[in-house]
Amino acid sequence: MAERDGPEIIGRRVQQLRMARGLTQKQLAEPVYTPAYISTLEAGRVRASEPALRHIAERLGVAYEELATGRPAHLATDLRLRLTDAQRTLATGEAEVAAEQYDGLLAEADAHGLVAEQAAALLGLGECSLETGDLETARKRFEESEGRLGDAPLPNRVPAIRGRAVSHYLAGELRYACYLFESTLDELNRTGMHDPDALLLLYTGIIAPYMDMGAHARAAQAAELALALAPQVGDPALVARMHRSVARTMIAEGRMAEADASLAKAAELYRQLQIRTELANCHWMRGYLYAQNGELARAEGELREAQAMLSAKRAALYTSQVAVELADVLHRRGKSEEAATLLHEVLGDLSPERGAVHSAGAHRLLGIIAEDARDTESAEEHYVRALSLLERAGAAGDLADLCRLLGDLLRRTGRVEAALDAYRTGLGHRTAPGTTTLGPAPAQPPL
C-alpha cells in the first residue's frame, strides 16, 4: 500500500472534491460521522483513520488510494504492467524502443512519487544503455536505480549492482568489477540470503571479468554454479506472455493483488530472457576450456553457439568479444584467413573504453597472423597497440604473454636491447592467476 499524504494535503483534497460534487459537509459525513468532523478534517487538524477515509472516498465516488495519495486509481499496477511490456521489448532485442518506453514510465513514476517503479525504470534504462554500448550512461542509470531503492533488501538491489559491475568491466576496470561482484556474492551467501535469481545474475556476470583477470579456476566454478542455478523454463517468453495477459484480465476485474502477482512472474521470466545474454558466457567459458584442452572442434561449436545467442539479442559489444575468442580457435584450426576477416569486422565495435581486453586480444591475434605471413612490421604494430590496451585494463596474465611475443619478434629482427626491455616488462606483470589481483574467494551458496 502506498504511503498516505499528510493531513493538510488530504484535507484540501477532500474539500476540493466535495465542492466539485456540490455536497455539503453534512451530506459527506452522513450517516457515520458529523459535519464538525469533516470540517476539522478539511482544515488539516486531524489525521483521518482508514475507515473514515474509505467512507468519504465512497461518498465522493473515488477510490480510497486516489483520495489518500492523490494518485489515480490502480496507477501503480498499470505502471508495473507497462514496465513488464518494456522488459519484453528489451528481452527481444529492441533496446532503442525499450529505452523510449522506460523514459516515459520514469517520467510518470517521478510525477507520482512511485519509488519502486522509478528504480525499475532506471534499471531498464541502464540495461538498454548496456545493450547499445553506452557504458557511462548505463553506469549512471544503475547508480540512480540503486539509490532509489535505499535500504531495500540486498537481493532487490542486486540487478542494479550487477549492472554497475558489468559497466565497469566493459570499460576495462576489471578489478573494481570483480570487487563489486564478489563482495555482493559474499554478503548474500554469508548472511543466508540465498536468492537464486540474485545469485544467478551475479555468477553469470562475474565469469567474463574472472577470465580476463586470469582467474580461470574461479571462472569455471562460477560457470558451473550459474548453470546449476539457471531456472528450468521450457519457453520463458510464452509463459511470460500468458502472465501478462492474465494480469490485464485481472486489472479489468479489479483484482489488483492477483494482477500484481502475475506481473511479478512475467517480469521474472523476462529477466530470465535477458540472462540468456549472460548464459551465453557459459557457452563461451566451455569453449575456452575446450580450446585449452586442445578440443578445437568442440570449442568452435560452443563459441558459435554463444555468438548466435548474443547476435539474436543484438548485443553488439558482447558478440564482438565472443568473436575474438572464436577467431583464436579458427586460427588454431588453420583457418587464419577467416579469423583475420572476423577480427577486422569486430574491431570497430571495440575500443579502450569499450571492451579493452578483447580489443587487445584482437590485435594480439592479428599480430600472430601477420608474423605467420612474414609481415613483421604489421605484427609489431598490432602487438604495441595490444600492449597499450592491456596496461590500461590491468590484465596481468595477458600482458606477460604479450610482452613475450613482442620480445621474441624484436629479438628475431635484431633489436636485442628493445627485446630485453619487453621481456623485463613482461616479468614485472607475471603472476599466478588471480593471486595479486583478487582477494579471498566469496562464500558459496548451499547447492
Side-chain angles (χ1 to χ4, degrees), residues 1 32 77 94 147 193 211 242 324 336 340 367-368 392 402 409-410 427 434:
M1 184 72 68
V32 183
T77 300
E94 299 179 68
M193 291 186 285
M211 291 297 295
M242 177 271 291
V324 175
S336 295
I368 291 172
R392 180 186 180 279
L402 186 65
L409 174 65
L410 293 169
L427 286 170

Side-chain angles (χ1 to χ4, degrees), residues 331 336 339-340 343-344 347 359-386 402 405-406 409 412:
H331 168 66
S336 295
L343 291 170
H344 283 298
L347 268 176
S359 181
H363 283 295
R364 172 190 175 277
L365 186 50
L366 284 169
I368 291 172
I369 293 171
E371 270 205 88
D372 291 344
R374 304 281 197 271
D375 184 355
T376 55
E377 185 177 343
S378 180
E380 183 179 346
E381 181 183 338
H382 283 298
Y383 288 154
V384 170
R385 291 180 71 179
L402 186 65
L405 287 170
L406 179 59
L409 174 65
R412 281 195 298 272

Side-chain angles (χ1 to χ4, degrees), residues 33-44:
Y33 301 96
T34 65
Y37 177 76
I38 297 298
S39 176
T40 306
L41 187 152
E42 289 183 350

Side-chain angles (χ1 to χ4, degrees), residues 170-242:
L170 292 175
E173 299 162 13
L174 307 184
R175 292 185 185 86
Y176 189 62
C178 284
Y179 163 75
L180 285 175
F181 277 122
E182 289 197 336
S183 59
T184 309
L185 278 166
D186 201 51
E187 186 175 349
L188 280 173
N189 289 324
R190 289 192 186 282
T191 56
M193 291 186 285
H194 302 121
D195 183 288
D197 300 321
L199 290 170
L200 180 60
L201 275 176
L202 294 169
Y203 281 122
T204 52
I206 202 171
I207 293 169
Y210 270 163
M211 291 297 295
D212 290 347
M213 293 287 282
H216 299 152
R218 289 197 192 180
Q221 184 179 56
E224 291 308 314
L225 288 168
L227 291 169
L229 287 162
Q232 300 300 309
V233 179
D235 188 341
L238 289 176
V239 181
R241 192 176 304 124
M242 177 271 291

Side-chain angles (χ1 to χ4, degrees), residues 54-252:
R54 289 194 180 279
H55 165 80
I56 293 169
E58 185 178 350
R59 298 287 288 174
L60 292 170
V62 299
Y64 164 77
E65 184 181 357
E66 186 171 355
L67 186 64
T69 67
R71 298 166 191 155
H74 314 324
L75 173 69
T77 300
D78 178 63
L79 270 175
R80 282 191 285 274
L81 176 64
R82 287 184 285 143
L83 281 164
T84 305
D85 288 341
Q87 260 188 294
R88 178 196 60 77
T89 304
L90 177 57
T92 53
E94 299 179 68
E96 293 85 357
V97 178
E100 292 178 8
Q101 292 176 280
Y102 281 123
D103 270 326
L105 291 165
L106 177 60
E108 284 190 56
D110 282 342
H112 296 284
L114 295 168
V115 177
E117 287 70 25
Q118 291 169 8
L122 286 164
L123 180 68
L125 285 168
E127 294 288 354
C128 291
S129 294
L130 269 190
E131 289 285 325
T132 57
D134 185 353
L135 303 181
E136 185 176 353
T137 299
R139 186 165 58 248
K140 288 177 182 175
R141 292 301 197 183
F142 290 129
E143 287 171 354
E144 290 176 48
S145 178
E146 190 179 357
R148 301 287 174 101
L149 291 171
D151 296 326
L154 181 58
N156 295 6
R157 291 183 279 120
V158 160
I161 296 171
R162 168 258 174 204
R164 286 174 52 210
V166 172
S167 301
H168 284 289
Y169 160 65
L170 292 175
E173 299 162 13
L174 307 184
R175 292 185 185 86
Y176 189 62
C178 284
Y179 163 75
L180 285 175
F181 277 122
E182 289 197 336
S183 59
T184 309
L185 278 166
D186 201 51
E187 186 175 349
L188 280 173
N189 289 324
R190 289 192 186 282
T191 56
M193 291 186 285
H194 302 121
D195 183 288
D197 300 321
L199 290 170
L200 180 60
L201 275 176
L202 294 169
Y203 281 122
T204 52
I206 202 171
I207 293 169
Y210 270 163
M211 291 297 295
D212 290 347
M213 293 287 282
H216 299 152
R218 289 197 192 180
Q221 184 179 56
E224 291 308 314
L225 288 168
L227 291 169
L229 287 162
Q232 300 300 309
V233 179
D235 188 341
L238 289 176
V239 181
R241 192 176 304 124
M242 177 271 291
H243 281 299
R244 282 174 57 241
S245 300
V246 167
R248 290 185 188 278
T249 303
M250 290 174 173
I251 289 171

